[in-house]
Amino acid sequence: MTRLRPDAGAKGGGNPAYVNARIRSRRASLLDESDYRKLVRMGPDAISRYLEETEYEREMNELGARYRGVDLIEYALNANLSRHFQDLLDWSDGQLYDQLVRYLRKFDTWNIKTILRGIYTDTPRDEIEADLISAGEFTKRDLDRLLEAQSIDDVIERLSGTIYYDPLIDAYDEYEELNLLVPLENAVDRAMFEHMISGIDVETGPASRVLERHQQWTGSPAALFREFLAAEIDLLNVRNALRIAKSGSELDPSSYFIEGGRLFSKRELGLLTGDLDGLVATIRDSVYGEKLDDALAELEDAESLLEVEQAIDRALVEYGDLLGSRYPVSVCPIIAYVLAKELEVQNVIAIARGREAGLSEEEIREELVMP
Amino acid sequence: MLELLTDPVLLEAASNEHDVAVAEAWSEAIRVGAAALSVGLAALASGYAERQIGAAAVGAMAEDPSTFGRGLILTVLPETLVIFAIVVIFLV
């Protein structure tokens, strides 16, 4: 709440060269395939020891006294994630800072949703707190204030003055009616995505043309950033649409629709959701078709969504890398790093939880999303 | 003697010499000025080029101090622009 210097902070292009040099080094220290091969064969304790010798050493040691086993791994990894993403914000300034803080807000929404769910399920405060990832715009103090809330409407009250307040108030009636968190969670997500996009100034580049389905944004870094966000939103819409189509439920897909992508309009998505084949065909025709082709074939055959969801995650990282190589000194490689780091943390936690639950190596490997 | 001083042909020659001297002084000034300008512009351009490289090099060094040597070399590469510009000084 305090960290966003509104658009006044967006003067000047920022310092992408500096931040890029630093993240390239950090990206090189991410775990690679051989690390994963070793990790899937280890038990939780061996994984902890292994991580103590990597990038995660500091957090493992800091939290080692308080937690153990898989919990330690999970909290240490999340703390490491927070530290790295805070670093990104500390290093960058000008327009770059503005773009990054907009993007990292997705951790704020994660935190808000976690707190809402925690209060909804009467989870003790400590447990909620351990799941928070303080990597976004909210400071530690802001999060503490939210954690002190006693009820859902108390949380919403404490968010007044942020971009989430109005959408949450609007969604509150529906929440009371259904007694389900879904409307509130959607409201938070939508507020984040819509703000993420609305403030990006693409007018400066040749990219300000009206965008159509297959068109690519080119030109300024801001335009590339916009392109990446559109891809993320599209893929999120695809994922939601597939989930709804697959589950055959009567949910109204348009209430999950996030504006700002270029693949579907709200109406199109609504029409296609009842029709899995039509949906797959539309995705296949789009700019993402090539990347998702194999996974979509799998979906048609095996009827499993997991493959597609992993392919979507992978496609997004690849797309970020592609944009990053097209414009190396911009926000794009930084976003690609954020995604890769997130995936790594997800993967390691999946391995640790999988081993704890006694899954076989094969089963765990299927859960991993390799970039 | 007096005839010599008032001889129009000789007078013409004297003022010609003066003109030539003035013209030569001017051309020297212009040459020196152009050389100074070219060195100055080259220095500005290399400074501009070094700005981003320097920022990236410092970033890389902050992550891994062993990149100091390479970072330094890459940072001063655009400095060659100024060295070429100094050659111009001796050419003019």
Side-chain angles (χ1 to χ4, degrees), chain A residues 16-18 21-23 25-26 91 329, chain B residues 52 55-60 62-64:
Chain A
Y18 175 75
R22 295 202 75 160
I23 59 118
S25 156
R26 296 209 170 174
W91 296 333
V329 187
Chain B
Q52 297 252 345
V58 169
E63 290 297 317
D64 178 7

Side-chain angles (χ1 to χ4, degrees), chain B:
Chain B
M1 195 64 188
L2 204 69
E3 284 156 15
L4 274 178
L5 281 174
T6 52
D7 182 10
V9 178
L10 283 176
L11 271 179
E12 179 90 331
S15 80
N16 259 350
E17 261 167 38
H18 179 253
D19 281 353
V20 168
V22 168
E24 274 176 359
W26 268 109
S27 85
E28 181 66 18
I30 289 171
R31 271 191 300 166
V32 171
L37 193 69
S38 67
V39 175
L41 281 176
L44 250 168
S46 52
Y48 184 75
E50 281 165 24
R51 184 182 73 129
Q52 297 252 345
I53 307 174
V58 169
M61 261 179 249
E63 290 297 317
D64 178 7
S66 71
T67 55
F68 175 74
R70 254 178 294 169
L72 188 69
I73 290 171
L74 290 174
T75 307
V76 297
L77 267 189
E79 210 59 47
T80 47
L81 282 179
V82 186
I83 296 171
F84 290 138
I86 287 173
V87 173
V88 173
I89 295 178
F90 299 109
L91 289 181
V92 294

